[in-house]
Amino acid sequence: MPTSGLCRPLGWGCRSAAREEPEGRHSDRRRDARDLYPEEAAMADVDVNRADPLEAWAEPLEAWLGDSRISKDRARRAVLAFGRLSAWMTGRGLGAEDVDEDVIDAYIELERQRSGSTVPAAAQYLPLVKRFLAARGVLVLRPPVSRARHGRPRLSGGPLDELVLDLVAWLRDQGYAPGTATSVACTAARLSNWMARQGLGARDLDDALLTRFVASQARGRRRHPSSVRRIVTVRKFLLATGLITAPLPPPPSRSPSEQLLQEWTEHLRTRRGVSQGWATEARRFAAGFLAELPVDPDGQRLWDGVDAATVNRYVTRHGEGYSLSSRRHLVSSMRGLLDWAFLTGRLDRAISAGVLRPAPAVPGLPRALSAAQVQALIAAADTSTPAGRRDRAIVVLISRLALRAGEVAALALDELNWHAGTLVVHGKGGRVLTLPIPTDVGQALVDYLRDGRPPGAVDRAVFTRLRPPLVGLSSKGISGVIAHLATEAGLGTVHAHALRHTAATAVLAAGGSLIEARALLGHARTDTTMVYARTDLAALRDLVTSWGKVPGP
């Protein structure tokens, strides 16, 4: 065989296939290796006249390395490693037909053990030989081994090892981003490792232990400040799986005034059937009045001096700065409180009728948006993103069907009847409305549900968050969407209720009646809808006689 332009490979013209090593500790290691691997020790006495199985591939390898733009020094070392591999195969009685990845890997492992190095020359340069032989069809490379851990942390050891795997699956089901999920799982692994060092088991998990762990992460050699944030998500998982229980809040020590308010609001909820929001607002209005009542030696509030004049003075003073609607709510709350006090024997006579209502004010027209402003809101939603498709569907839905923000938030997938072309809305006061789905509303919903709603949502709400936890948007979230789009469109402050007014006025402007507007808005009484009658001035002009003319028969 002609001499290579790079070198004369070991085993093809060299006296020894083994690299000479100086005497000393390396020679001692070589003697130990020969004792352990007597077959491989024969590599030092290879007969140079024997035909090596890979000799025919020496020059093609050199040419391939040159074409691959491998540096001359690296190519030379690869050819030397190839020669030693061929000599080793000769000593084992292996032929060219026996070469595969397993044979090459076995040789690399023996070289690693012989040299005592984790990366001997064989491990550095024979991968190039593998690529060459694969390119020539001599062997088939194994598929690459994936290093992805799919969110599983590397740190292990502790009583929560199996639990960390469950946490990884839970985070994936909840829709957490891969980076966030990995960080949370690493925090849980550090918790498990810390518990092992403390001699603790899974049964010791509680909020106090988590607090101690977070404190340990803030100092020392093993400190991880991110644990303060990520332990919150770990705790959510532990609560969801029942491994820890949330501590019960201590029983509140109610003052006499708080006790009265609690009894009264329970009466409003159970006997009067008012909503929780109304009861909370009424409680806030009445709290100041009860705090002003005198107290007897036992700490109980005295009602003896309460009369209509006292309540009116409180309403006048307390209602300053409030809107007309809030002052009316204040009066209604005080009348309800006085009626309850009479029914429970705290007052000896009914005096609620003596509480005066605030002076009426001329109500203003509903603040509706123009068609151009509505289109600007719709155009502000970037439909190339899931968030934009969701926001556009919300604007179209409210502006066409006059829904409240809370009704949009409560809309569920099961309430969309695509075959009938209707949707079910749960309105105020427990009213249930069935409304048609206009074409533009249906198309906006379909675009969002197909390409915008996250597939890992944990509930059946139509409009959900796009960041974990993937739950339905609240009414504040719906209002926030409208406010954000209004800012993007340069419209200033626009509330979601303005779109509801816009839909109602559009019904009247198109020739619809107040009865139809009432059905769309879901009002319980027609007089509530009457405010929209003042918005269509053109229709009202047909009902009156022009100045200076006598009405005809």
Side-chain angles (χ1 to χ4, degrees):
M1 175 180 175
T3 303
S4 168
L6 291 173
C7 65
R8 188 182 299 275
L10 292 176
W12 299 317
C14 297
R15 294 182 56 83
S16 175
R19 186 168 50 190
E20 294 294 336
E21 294 188 78
E23 294 297 328
R25 63 184 181 89
H26 293 293
S27 60
D28 293 339
R29 183 195 304 158
R30 183 173 58 206
R31 287 194 298 271
D32 294 341
R34 288 176 175 176
D35 293 339
L36 291 173
Y37 309 105
E39 293 181 348
E40 278 62 42
M43 291 171 53
D45 301 310
V46 175
D47 184 357
V48 297
N49 296 317
R50 293 175 59 182
D52 292 333
L54 305 181
E55 182 177 356
W57 295 106
E59 285 190 348
L61 170 63
E62 180 183 344
W64 181 84
L65 290 170
D67 294 340
S68 301
R69 297 182 178 180
I70 304 296
S71 68
K72 289 186 178 181
D73 182 66
R74 185 171 173 80
R76 180 180 64 83
R77 293 175 182 273
V79 172
L80 290 173
F82 185 58
R84 288 192 291 269
L85 170 65
S86 181
W88 175 78
M89 291 180 61
T90 300
R92 296 292 297 267
L94 299 175
E97 68 278 1
D98 298 315
V99 67
D100 57 19
E101 275 205 280
D102 290 336
V103 169
I104 297 176
D105 289 345
Y107 171 70
I108 291 174
E109 181 60 29
L110 287 170
E111 280 292 287
R112 184 178 286 116
Q113 296 175 4
R114 184 190 68 80
S115 66
S117 172
T118 57
V119 282
Q124 298 179 53
Y125 303 111
L126 287 186
L128 290 173
V129 174
K130 285 184 181 181
R131 288 165 51 190
F132 162 71
L133 295 176
R136 294 304 178 96
V138 177
L139 58 79
V140 178
L141 294 177
R142 304 187 195 97
V145 178
S146 175
R147 295 179 178 271
R149 299 183 61 82
H150 305 291
R152 292 179 289 111
R154 296 184 182 278
L155 182 65
S156 62
L160 306 183
D161 279 355
E162 294 296 328
L163 196 64
V164 171
L165 300 180
D166 296 337
L167 170 63
V168 171
W170 181 82
L171 292 169
R172 183 171 57 250
D173 294 341
Q174 293 292 312
Y176 281 84
T180 303
T182 300
S183 179
V184 172
C186 288
T187 297
R190 287 194 293 271
L191 170 64
S192 178
N193 198 263
W194 176 82
M195 291 175 64
R197 295 196 304 271
Q198 300 291 322
L200 302 173
R203 294 183 178 181
D204 299 314
L205 276 172
D206 56 19
D207 280 334
L209 186 145
L210 297 181
T211 302
R212 288 169 50 201
F213 166 71
V214 169
S216 71
Q217 298 290 288
R219 60 182 183 273
R221 184 169 56 87
R222 295 188 175 94
R223 63 188 183 91
H224 289 276
S226 64
S227 296
V228 177
R229 301 190 308 274
R230 300 310 185 194
I231 200 65
V232 176
T233 308
V234 175
R235 182 177 182 274
K236 288 182 180 178
F237 165 74
L238 297 176
L239 287 172
T241 53
L243 294 172
I244 65 173
T245 56
L248 296 176
S253 55
R254 295 192 180 98
S255 65
S257 295
E258 292 172 341
Q259 185 65 33
L260 286 174
L261 287 172
Q262 182 66 25
E263 294 178 10
W264 177 50
T265 51
E266 288 180 0
H267 168 79
L268 292 176
R269 295 283 289 137
T270 57
R271 299 294 182 89
R272 299 286 302 278
V274 303
S275 66
Q276 181 60 50
W278 201 100
T280 301
E281 191 74 4
R283 176 183 179 129
R284 183 174 65 84
F285 282 132
F289 176 77
L290 291 177
E292 294 178 2
L293 292 181
V295 182
D296 65 10
D298 296 331
Q300 301 300 318
R301 297 294 175 179
L302 297 175
W303 294 78
D304 297 342
V306 176
D307 55 17
T310 303
V311 178
N312 284 326
R313 285 194 296 271
Y314 170 78
V315 168
T316 302
R317 183 179 70 256
H318 197 70
E320 292 180 356
Y322 281 101
S323 65
L324 176 63
S325 175
S326 295
R327 293 199 302 273
R328 286 176 175 172
H329 196 171
L330 169 61
V331 170
S332 298
S333 300
M334 295 308 302
R335 286 183 173 180
L337 177 65
L338 295 176
D339 286 340
W340 171 77
F342 174 66
L343 290 174
T344 55
R346 290 176 170 82
L347 289 175
D348 57 1
R349 64 192 184 284
I351 59 174
S352 61
V355 181
L356 303 179
R357 284 189 174 276
V362 178
L365 298 178
R367 295 181 180 179
L369 303 180
S370 65
Q373 289 175 319
V374 174
Q375 288 303 316
L377 276 179
I378 296 175
D382 182 6
T383 54
S384 64
T385 64
R389 287 187 283 271
R390 180 199 65 187
D391 297 350
R392 182 179 185 275
I394 290 174
V395 174
V396 174
L397 184 63
I398 299 178
S399 63
R400 294 284 277 125
L401 296 182
L403 301 184
R404 300 177 179 89
E407 294 168 348
V408 175
L411 189 63
L413 294 174
D414 302 321
E415 292 161 346
L416 300 176
N417 189 336
W418 296 107
H419 296 288
T422 59
L423 57 84
V424 176
V425 176
H426 296 273
K428 291 176 67 175
R431 291 183 291 276
V432 179
L433 308 175
T434 301
L435 300 176
I437 302 179
T439 303
D440 54 347
V441 174
Q443 188 60 53
L445 286 173
V446 168
D447 292 343
Y448 159 64
L449 293 175
R450 282 181 175 173
D451 302 315
R453 188 177 187 273
V458 298
D459 57 25
R460 300 286 290 171
V462 172
F463 299 105
T464 65
R465 290 166 47 94
L466 299 180
R467 293 182 178 180
L470 302 179
V471 297
L473 286 174
S474 64
S475 59
K476 290 184 178 179
I478 299 295
S479 300
V481 167
I482 303 301
H484 170 72
L485 292 180
T487 302
E488 292 292 320
L491 300 179
T493 302
V494 175
H495 299 289
H497 220 65
L499 290 175
R500 176 174 165 84
H501 295 321
T502 301
T505 53
V507 169
L508 297 176
S513 65
L514 287 176
I515 300 300
E516 292 170 329
R518 172 190 170 184
L520 178 66
L521 294 168
H523 286 161
R525 299 185 312 226
T526 305
D527 58 349
T528 307
T529 318
M530 285 295 293
V531 67
Y532 292 97
R534 299 191 305 278
T535 62
D536 193 354
L537 299 180
L540 292 177
R541 289 193 185 99
D542 296 336
L543 302 179
V544 300
T545 303
S546 301
W547 172 258
K549 293 185 178 181
V550 178

